[in-house]
Amino acid sequence: MKVLIATEKPFAKVAVEGIRKEVEAAGYEVAVLEKYTDKSQLLEAVKNVNAIIIRSDKIDNEVFDAAKELKIVVRAGAGYDNVDLAAATAHDVVVMNTPGQNSNAVAELAFGLLVYAVRNFYNGTAGTELKGKKLGIHAYGNVGRNVARIARGFGMEVYAYDAFCPREAIQSDGTHACASVEELYKVSDIISLHIPATAETKNSINYALLSNMPENGILLNTARKEVINEAEVIKFLGDHPKFKYITDIAPAATAEFAEKFPERYFATPKKMGAQTAEANINAGLAAAKQIVGYFKSGSEKFRVNK
Ligand code: 3PG
């Protein structure tokens, strides 16, 4: 069996070593394709491999067509919107993710970005503090829960809305559960997005929703760029001169955001939420173990395609 690690944005070296150990201990071989710049390199590398470990790497029908021996793809991370699940199923390939393994890293980055935002990008002017502010967590999954935990350490009031998480589960954490997404945006000074990119959520963060927030609100995105209705958020920022948009995923219209709102818009140069040694080790090793478990015992835990 041959397992390919295909990561345009590489794992920490220590995580690659860990994956290699795990895979080789099972008697399998490892191949590595990192920092590739063209899809043709990926199409070449997937020939003759039986499993692939990926991050945000795009795995589409063309990749499945090229990977004739492929049996399983594991997304070392939470969101699997980068994998064409229907194409995977059509090619008889199992797709899994590794939920929760990188969530603390993303949550910690959210606060790194938030402090930067409320201290006016460290430009020397007087900013504000997070203590006492109301933080609205939009989707209360693994990252959302970690954000809530850290927010309490900052002395923030924590609110959440999640269409799929029971109210009691949110409240048992000491987080206020909102009855609707509009209520969450109304009550919060800062919104932290943790929704996946799905048909329902794409473009859902729009002018009308943000209109519920205070004039000096902050929208923080460590989730996906696709959930943002960029044209409407640009208009909203234009109409609300104190509102800030801070993101770990550069928008498609990044030049326009940067040019129009230099003091109220910030994007990390490369998506950094999950980019820690710990998160890479956790997610990478989980992916390796899931592949070995699938081949050795047929375990389909964390399978995301039917
Ligand atoms: C995830 O879905 O797990 C995060 O967005 C991290 O993505 P990355 O592995 O591409 O950094």
Side-chain angles (χ1 to χ4, degrees):
M1 291 287 175
K2 193 167 173 184
V3 179
L4 173 71
I5 303 172
T7 48
E8 180 276 318
K9 182 175 63 187
F11 290 125
K13 275 199 174 61
V14 61
V16 176
E17 284 159 19
I19 294 170
R20 188 181 291 283
K21 253 193 197 155
E22 193 70 37
V23 171
E24 289 179 352
Y28 306 154
E29 196 188 327
V30 173
V32 181
L33 173 70
E34 292 180 335
K35 292 187 188 170
Y36 58 93
T37 49
D38 197 88
K39 191 178 180 185
S40 60
Q41 297 168 272
L42 179 63
L43 294 175
E44 184 59 36
V46 299
K47 285 180 184 165
N48 309 322
V49 306
N50 310 105
I52 314 178
I53 297 174
I54 53 161
R55 299 186 65 178
S56 290
D57 306 80
K58 287 211 170 7
I59 306 294
D60 59 13
N61 197 57
E62 199 184 353
V63 178
F64 288 116
D65 275 347
K68 299 271 182 256
E69 310 296 324
L70 187 62
K71 298 278 175 268
I72 178 168
V73 173
V74 182
R75 194 284 190 237
Y80 45 87
D81 47 297
N82 47 319
V83 182
D84 184 337
L85 297 187
T89 303
H91 287 80
D92 223 4
V93 175
V94 168
V95 182
M96 297 179 183
N97 67 348
T98 67
Q101 301 292 345
N102 59 18
S103 47
N104 180 66
V106 179
E108 286 191 13
L109 186 84
F111 284 89
L113 292 172
L114 261 190
V115 172
Y116 186 58
V118 296
R119 296 303 183 96
N120 302 330
F121 302 176
Y122 304 150
N123 69 1
T125 64
T128 58
E129 299 180 19
L130 294 175
K131 188 177 177 188
K133 302 296 184 303
K134 295 185 171 83
L135 176 68
I137 299 176
H138 189 166
Y140 208 64
N142 290 309
V143 181
R145 282 159 216 261
N146 275 291
V147 167
R149 170 180 56 79
I150 300 169
R152 279 188 266 281
F154 273 94
M156 302 183 84
E157 278 183 52
V158 188
Y159 295 78
Y161 172 76
D162 190 314
F164 305 100
C165 179
R167 205 181 161 76
E168 301 72 47
I170 295 176
Q171 281 170 334
S172 68
D173 261 10
T175 297
H176 305 279
C178 291
S180 67
V181 70
E182 287 77 18
E183 185 192 328
L184 181 75
Y185 280 62
K186 250 184 207 135
V187 82
S188 302
D189 300 305
I190 298 161
I191 288 287
S192 190
L193 296 175
H194 303 292
I195 45 178
T198 64
E200 292 75 37
T201 64
K202 280 181 185 165
N203 287 315
S204 65
I205 308 305
N206 57 23
Y207 196 103
L209 190 56
L210 295 178
S211 299
N212 291 298
M213 291 186 69
E215 289 293 316
N216 60 350
I218 299 175
L219 176 66
L220 174 66
N221 184 5
T222 54
R224 288 290 181 274
K225 74 171 180 200
E226 290 81 3
V227 303
I228 302 292
N229 183 322
E230 293 187 13
E232 293 197 16
V233 172
I234 288 171
K235 178 159 172 37
F236 189 83
L237 285 165
D239 292 348
H240 300 81
K242 291 186 180 159
F243 197 90
K244 290 178 179 157
Y245 179 48
I246 310 296
T247 180
D248 186 34
I249 317 96
T254 192
E256 189 176 353
F257 274 95
E259 192 189 316
K260 288 190 169 157
F261 315 111
E263 287 166 359
R264 297 186 286 124
Y265 160 80
F266 174 78
T268 51
K270 184 108 181 157
K271 187 173 154 211
M272 288 299 293
Q275 200 57 326
T276 65
E278 293 89 337
N280 291 173
I281 291 167
N282 293 344
L285 278 188
K289 285 185 174 141
Q290 287 170 220
I291 288 168
V292 172
Y294 177 69
F295 285 138
K296 298 270 186 207
S297 60
S299 169
E300 294 201 353
K301 197 171 176 199
F302 301 128
R303 180 173 181 160
V304 294
N305 65 330
K306 299 276 176 265

mmCIF file of all heavy atoms in Angstrom, residues 72-95:
data_model
loop_
_atom_site.group_PDB
_atom_site.id
_atom_site.type_symbol
_atom_site.label_atom_id
_atom_site.label_comp_id
_atom_site.label_asym_id
_atom_site.label_seq_id
_atom_site.Cartn_x
_atom_site.Cartn_y
_atom_site.Cartn_z
ATOM 1 N N ILE A 72 -8.831 5.600 -0.535
ATOM 2 C CA ILE A 72 -9.249 6.474 0.568
ATOM 3 C C ILE A 72 -8.495 7.815 0.552
ATOM 4 O O ILE A 72 -7.299 7.850 0.262
ATOM 5 C CB ILE A 72 -9.065 5.748 1.932
ATOM 6 C CG1 ILE A 72 -9.445 6.666 3.108
ATOM 7 C CG2 ILE A 72 -7.647 5.193 2.124
ATOM 8 C CD1 ILE A 72 -9.562 5.945 4.449
ATOM 9 N N VAL A 73 -9.250 8.882 0.833
ATOM 10 C CA VAL A 73 -8.664 10.222 1.004
ATOM 11 C C VAL A 73 -9.019 10.683 2.413
ATOM 12 O O VAL A 73 -10.194 10.634 2.795
ATOM 13 C CB VAL A 73 -9.266 11.242 -0.003
ATOM 14 C CG1 VAL A 73 -8.775 12.655 0.296
ATOM 15 C CG2 VAL A 73 -8.916 10.862 -1.432
ATOM 16 N N VAL A 74 -8.024 11.096 3.183
ATOM 17 C CA VAL A 74 -8.344 11.668 4.494
ATOM 18 C C VAL A 74 -7.910 13.121 4.524
ATOM 19 O O VAL A 74 -6.739 13.450 4.298
ATOM 20 C CB VAL A 74 -7.710 10.888 5.671
ATOM 21 C CG1 VAL A 74 -8.133 11.519 6.995
ATOM 22 C CG2 VAL A 74 -8.149 9.431 5.638
ATOM 23 N N ARG A 75 -8.877 13.971 4.791
ATOM 24 C CA ARG A 75 -8.634 15.404 4.940
ATOM 25 C C ARG A 75 -8.159 15.593 6.390
ATOM 26 O O ARG A 75 -8.955 15.399 7.336
ATOM 27 C CB ARG A 75 -9.955 16.149 4.678
ATOM 28 C CG ARG A 75 -9.817 17.633 4.460
ATOM 29 C CD ARG A 75 -9.567 18.385 5.730
ATOM 30 N NE ARG A 75 -9.681 19.806 5.482
ATOM 31 C CZ ARG A 75 -8.718 20.684 5.738
ATOM 32 N NH1 ARG A 75 -7.569 20.292 6.273
ATOM 33 N NH2 ARG A 75 -8.918 21.961 5.498
ATOM 34 N N ALA A 76 -6.876 15.893 6.565
ATOM 35 C CA ALA A 76 -6.340 16.106 7.913
ATOM 36 C C ALA A 76 -6.818 17.472 8.389
ATOM 37 O O ALA A 76 -6.153 18.482 8.233
ATOM 38 C CB ALA A 76 -4.821 16.031 7.897
ATOM 39 N N GLY A 77 -8.013 17.486 8.929
ATOM 40 C CA GLY A 77 -8.638 18.733 9.341
ATOM 41 C C GLY A 77 -10.142 18.542 9.393
ATOM 42 O O GLY A 77 -10.641 17.409 9.313
ATOM 43 N N ALA A 78 -10.846 19.656 9.516
ATOM 44 C CA ALA A 78 -12.296 19.580 9.737
ATOM 45 C C ALA A 78 -13.108 19.725 8.443
ATOM 46 O O ALA A 78 -13.916 18.860 8.098
ATOM 47 C CB ALA A 78 -12.701 20.664 10.728
ATOM 48 N N GLY A 79 -12.885 20.822 7.715
ATOM 49 C CA GLY A 79 -13.726 21.147 6.554
ATOM 50 C C GLY A 79 -13.315 20.346 5.338
ATOM 51 O O GLY A 79 -12.140 20.282 5.001
ATOM 52 N N TYR A 80 -14.281 19.738 4.672
ATOM 53 C CA TYR A 80 -13.954 18.893 3.504
ATOM 54 C C TYR A 80 -14.647 19.405 2.244
ATOM 55 O O TYR A 80 -14.916 18.660 1.311
ATOM 56 C CB TYR A 80 -14.296 17.425 3.786
ATOM 57 C CG TYR A 80 -15.640 17.206 4.437
ATOM 58 C CD1 TYR A 80 -16.788 17.083 3.669
ATOM 59 C CD2 TYR A 80 -15.763 17.153 5.819
ATOM 60 C CE1 TYR A 80 -18.017 16.904 4.258
ATOM 61 C CE2 TYR A 80 -16.996 16.974 6.423
ATOM 62 C CZ TYR A 80 -18.121 16.848 5.636
ATOM 63 O OH TYR A 80 -19.350 16.690 6.224
ATOM 64 N N ASP A 81 -14.910 20.716 2.215
ATOM 65 C CA ASP A 81 -15.519 21.341 1.044
ATOM 66 C C ASP A 81 -14.573 21.348 -0.150
ATOM 67 O O ASP A 81 -14.986 21.647 -1.271
ATOM 68 C CB ASP A 81 -15.970 22.776 1.385
ATOM 69 C CG ASP A 81 -14.885 23.555 2.130
ATOM 70 O OD1 ASP A 81 -14.508 23.155 3.251
ATOM 71 O OD2 ASP A 81 -14.398 24.543 1.564
ATOM 72 N N ASN A 82 -13.305 21.010 0.070
ATOM 73 C CA ASN A 82 -12.312 20.955 -1.009
ATOM 74 C C ASN A 82 -12.300 19.607 -1.731
ATOM 75 O O ASN A 82 -11.548 19.424 -2.676
ATOM 76 C CB ASN A 82 -10.907 21.250 -0.452
ATOM 77 C CG ASN A 82 -10.586 20.465 0.817
ATOM 78 O OD1 ASN A 82 -11.428 20.314 1.693
ATOM 79 N ND2 ASN A 82 -9.387 19.958 0.928
ATOM 80 N N VAL A 83 -13.120 18.675 -1.259
ATOM 81 C CA VAL A 83 -13.163 17.351 -1.896
ATOM 82 C C VAL A 83 -14.518 17.174 -2.577
ATOM 83 O O VAL A 83 -15.568 17.428 -1.961
ATOM 84 C CB VAL A 83 -12.958 16.219 -0.861
ATOM 85 C CG1 VAL A 83 -12.962 14.855 -1.538
ATOM 86 C CG2 VAL A 83 -11.658 16.433 -0.093
ATOM 87 N N ASP A 84 -14.502 16.744 -3.822
ATOM 88 C CA ASP A 84 -15.751 16.459 -4.540
ATOM 89 C C ASP A 84 -16.252 15.083 -4.071
ATOM 90 O O ASP A 84 -15.789 14.042 -4.544
ATOM 91 C CB ASP A 84 -15.483 16.477 -6.053
ATOM 92 C CG ASP A 84 -16.772 16.273 -6.857
ATOM 93 O OD1 ASP A 84 -17.742 15.698 -6.317
ATOM 94 O OD2 ASP A 84 -16.785 16.693 -8.029
ATOM 95 N N LEU A 85 -17.185 15.113 -3.127
ATOM 96 C CA LEU A 85 -17.646 13.867 -2.494
ATOM 97 C C LEU A 85 -18.389 12.970 -3.484
ATOM 98 O O LEU A 85 -18.245 11.743 -3.450
ATOM 99 C CB LEU A 85 -18.553 14.170 -1.290
ATOM 100 C CG LEU A 85 -17.914 14.916 -0.119
ATOM 101 C CD1 LEU A 85 -18.884 14.995 1.049
ATOM 102 C CD2 LEU A 85 -16.606 14.284 0.328
ATOM 103 N N ALA A 86 -19.177 13.578 -4.359
ATOM 104 C CA ALA A 86 -19.929 12.775 -5.334
ATOM 105 C C ALA A 86 -18.954 12.054 -6.265
ATOM 106 O O ALA A 86 -19.135 10.859 -6.577
ATOM 107 C CB ALA A 86 -20.872 13.664 -6.126
ATOM 108 N N ALA A 87 -17.905 12.776 -6.694
ATOM 109 C CA ALA A 87 -16.897 12.149 -7.564
ATOM 110 C C ALA A 87 -16.179 11.030 -6.820
ATOM 111 O O ALA A 87 -15.878 9.980 -7.394
ATOM 112 C CB ALA A 87 -15.898 13.203 -8.053
ATOM 113 N N ALA A 88 -15.913 11.240 -5.535
ATOM 114 C CA ALA A 88 -15.252 10.204 -4.726
ATOM 115 C C ALA A 88 -16.112 8.940 -4.705
ATOM 116 O O ALA A 88 -15.630 7.840 -4.984
ATOM 117 C CB ALA A 88 -15.014 10.710 -3.305
ATOM 118 N N THR A 89 -17.374 9.123 -4.406
ATOM 119 C CA THR A 89 -18.290 7.981 -4.342
ATOM 120 C C THR A 89 -18.380 7.289 -5.696
ATOM 121 O O THR A 89 -18.337 6.058 -5.778
ATOM 122 C CB THR A 89 -19.682 8.451 -3.867
ATOM 123 O OG1 THR A 89 -19.503 9.087 -2.594
ATOM 124 C CG2 THR A 89 -20.650 7.305 -3.719
ATOM 125 N N ALA A 90 -18.460 8.097 -6.762
ATOM 126 C CA ALA A 90 -18.540 7.521 -8.108
ATOM 127 C C ALA A 90 -17.295 6.703 -8.439
ATOM 128 O O ALA A 90 -17.363 5.756 -9.225
ATOM 129 C CB ALA A 90 -18.740 8.631 -9.136
ATOM 130 N N HIS A 91 -16.154 7.073 -7.834
ATOM 131 C CA HIS A 91 -14.904 6.334 -8.074
ATOM 132 C C HIS A 91 -14.657 5.289 -6.992
ATOM 133 O O HIS A 91 -13.568 4.722 -6.919
ATOM 134 C CB HIS A 91 -13.710 7.307 -8.133
ATOM 135 C CG HIS A 91 -13.666 8.112 -9.388
ATOM 136 N ND1 HIS A 91 -14.445 9.239 -9.597
ATOM 137 C CD2 HIS A 91 -12.943 7.965 -10.538
ATOM 138 C CE1 HIS A 91 -14.188 9.740 -10.787
ATOM 139 N NE2 HIS A 91 -13.287 8.986 -11.384
ATOM 140 N N ASP A 92 -15.650 5.091 -6.122
ATOM 141 C CA ASP A 92 -15.541 4.087 -5.058
ATOM 142 C C ASP A 92 -14.412 4.405 -4.077
ATOM 143 O O ASP A 92 -13.706 3.499 -3.614
ATOM 144 C CB ASP A 92 -15.300 2.701 -5.698
ATOM 145 C CG ASP A 92 -16.148 1.648 -5.015
ATOM 146 O OD1 ASP A 92 -16.930 2.032 -4.136
ATOM 147 O OD2 ASP A 92 -15.985 0.457 -5.346
ATOM 148 N N VAL A 93 -14.251 5.680 -3.782
ATOM 149 C CA VAL A 93 -13.204 6.113 -2.849
ATOM 150 C C VAL A 93 -13.872 6.625 -1.568
ATOM 151 O O VAL A 93 -14.841 7.387 -1.622
ATOM 152 C CB VAL A 93 -12.338 7.237 -3.471
ATOM 153 C CG1 VAL A 93 -11.327 7.776 -2.453
ATOM 154 C CG2 VAL A 93 -11.622 6.735 -4.716
ATOM 155 N N VAL A 94 -13.339 6.191 -0.430
ATOM 156 C CA VAL A 94 -13.836 6.650 0.872
ATOM 157 C C VAL A 94 -13.167 7.984 1.208
ATOM 158 O O VAL A 94 -11.964 8.150 0.987
ATOM 159 C CB VAL A 94 -13.477 5.601 1.956
ATOM 160 C CG1 VAL A 94 -13.711 6.141 3.366
ATOM 161 C CG2 VAL A 94 -14.263 4.315 1.726
ATOM 162 N N VAL A 95 -13.965 8.921 1.725
ATOM 163 C CA VAL A 95 -13.402 10.200 2.176
ATOM 164 C C VAL A 95 -13.694 10.355 3.666
ATOM 165 O O VAL A 95 -14.813 10.097 4.116
ATOM 166 C CB VAL A 95 -14.008 11.402 1.403
ATOM 167 C CG1 VAL A 95 -13.368 12.718 1.869
ATOM 168 C CG2 VAL A 95 -13.844 11.224 -0.097
#
